[in-house]
DNA sequence: AGGATTATTTATCGATCGATACAGAAAGGA
DNA sequence: TCCTTTCTGTATCGATCGATAAATAATCCT
């Protein structure tokens, strides 16, 4: 049951990684086919044979991105000892991820809200689902803390999660605008100054 | 000294307003010349004669945007009795501006960080200047409060302004993602829960 | 070895991009 | 009235967009 036909002459994963980097940097519309093929080191027919279309390639690049940075952030939230530590780790890790040298600034999925114009409805929906999931993970962590008695029953997990996700998305914009890691970390810490007040608010 | 030649057959301000709306909604790259001329109700040669180029048209549309919503937000900050009230008004007014029916969601200038790919260096610089100015206005208001003794001398106006501008920029993303005005207002109020902590922090 | 299958390279395809050439139309100035 | 000036509509420019047709090359199976 070996593979039939002429073997592929390029590394599919490596080519997809290069496509992800270009989409991440320039967005869907901003990355042209000629730029993509140049970055991936292949010709257009090879790209279409391996990935289907520009739109399908973007979805696969987005999945690869989530398997990387998305999983990293998810682990930070899951492994933190308290809800407050989870949110703080989520923001501080984001500050680091958004400013890595050699990688595009900010979050690929978040920036696609604006970048994403021109994608298919299927891809737009996948992007929206990914963003909603990020908030759902934080909200679930807060709700777990609330049920464990770590937080007062009067606080509003959905609202708190919405706030901190908004801060993180704002950090994506700032990173794209040239903010450094220390600047983003200061913003993250500033938002944590609201924690005590938020966790005592009524829902 | 009356105007020479054939008079213009369209309202220049009205056409520019239509261009602003389209750029605001779709970004520079996302708004094509054919879409622009259709929205403005004129043909391409008229557009180039009146505005110069697509890039120059974008700059003029941006200036019109700043004369509108930008001035509104600046007035909120200037007229508020205290620094805290200024920041809160800035965020609450943003929540309203970002969700007006019949207008694109979010801030045109902020979203151009991502949207703006493809503009000339001159336009990119103008957009960055506009964003920096927003933060400078808030920082100046905080500094004024600090010098008036309204805030403790140990607090950091630049850091506080950076935080609240980040929240407002995050609200732009959320608005683009479908957040409603009440949701954005809740986020704005949540961020104000950090005020007391931030204004007692050391710089 | 020979046929089947798949990937590669080259050379495009029609559509759309931003931007203009050109000729006719509508105004003021002489 | 005729000339100059400016705007308008038509028609189109070269470049680039995303996507493919066709021919060739490389592998497996029999």
């Amino acid at each position: 049951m070996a593979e039939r036909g002429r073997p592929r002459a390029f590394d599919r994963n490596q080519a997809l990684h290069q496509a992800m980097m270009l989409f991440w940097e320039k967005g869907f519309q901003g990355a042209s086919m000629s730029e993509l093929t140049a970055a991936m080191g292949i010709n257009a027919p090879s790209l279409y044979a391996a990935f289907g279309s520009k739109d399908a390639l973007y979805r696969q690049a987005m999945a690869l991105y989530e398997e990387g940075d998305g999983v990293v952030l998810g682990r930070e939230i899951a492994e933190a000892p308290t809800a407050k530590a989870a949110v703080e780790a989520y923001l501080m890790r984001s500050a680091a991820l958004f400013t890595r040298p050699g990688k595009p600034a900010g979050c690929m999925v978040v920036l696609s809200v604006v970048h994403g114009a021109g994608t298919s409805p299927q891809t737009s929906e996948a992007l929206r689902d990914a963003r909603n999931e990020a908030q759902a993970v934080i909200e679930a962590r807060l709700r777990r803390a609330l049920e464990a008695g770590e937080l007062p029953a009067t606080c509003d997990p959905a609202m708190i999660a919405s706030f901190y996700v908004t801060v993180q998305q704002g950090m994506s914009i700032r990173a794209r605008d040239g903010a450094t890691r220390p600047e983003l970390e200061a913003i993250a810490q500033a938002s944590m100054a609201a924690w005590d007040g938020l966790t005592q608010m009524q829902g």
Side-chain angles (χ1 to χ4, degrees), chain A:
Chain A
M1 275 289 271
E3 300 168 4
R4 299 278 299 263
R6 177 173 176 171
R8 186 175 284 127
F10 62 94
D11 186 318
R12 193 184 190 279
N13 290 334
Q14 188 173 339
L16 182 57
H17 178 80
Q18 294 301 322
M20 177 195 73
M21 293 284 285
L22 196 65
F23 278 133
W24 187 0
E25 179 187 353
K26 300 200 166 191
F28 179 78
Q29 282 186 321
S32 69
M33 283 301 302
S34 56
E35 288 175 311
L36 284 165
T37 54
M40 299 166 79
I42 60 178
N43 296 117
S46 295
L47 189 155
Y48 282 90
F51 300 102
S53 68
K54 186 187 178 185
D55 194 80
L57 173 63
Y58 185 87
R59 282 196 298 277
Q60 294 168 69
M62 183 189 71
L64 177 61
Y65 177 79
E66 289 182 306
E67 291 171 9
D69 292 2
V71 167
V72 168
L73 288 177
R75 193 160 43 216
E76 291 281 358
I77 296 170
E79 295 179 354
T82 65
K84 181 177 183 180
V87 170
E88 183 170 355
Y90 162 72
L91 294 176
M92 293 297 280
R93 176 64 67 180
S94 292
L97 295 179
F98 289 175
T99 54
R100 279 171 296 182
K103 300 216 173 186
C107 171
M108 176 181 175
V109 174
V110 167
L111 296 174
S112 72
V113 180
V114 189
H115 258 149
T119 59
S120 66
Q122 179 183 357
T123 299
S124 294
E125 188 178 357
L127 286 163
R128 174 162 302 208
D129 288 347
R131 290 188 298 269
N132 287 340
E133 194 193 348
Q135 178 163 342
V137 166
I138 294 181
E139 183 178 337
R141 180 68 185 84
L142 291 170
R143 208 173 292 279
R144 186 152 61 91
L146 191 145
E147 290 169 357
E150 181 189 327
L151 296 176
T154 54
C155 76
D156 183 345
M159 187 271 288
I160 297 173
S162 173
F163 167 64
Y164 283 107
V165 165
T166 300
V167 171
Q168 198 243 12
Q169 296 186 358
M171 287 166 57
S172 266
I173 294 274
R174 306 286 289 187
R176 267 301 157 99
D177 218 357
T180 64
R181 176 172 172 178
E183 289 169 351
L184 296 182
E185 288 174 340
I187 292 165
Q189 291 301 328
S191 73
M192 293 308 298
W195 180 266
D196 288 347
L198 292 178
T199 52
Q200 288 164 12
M201 263 185 176
Q202 302 188 28

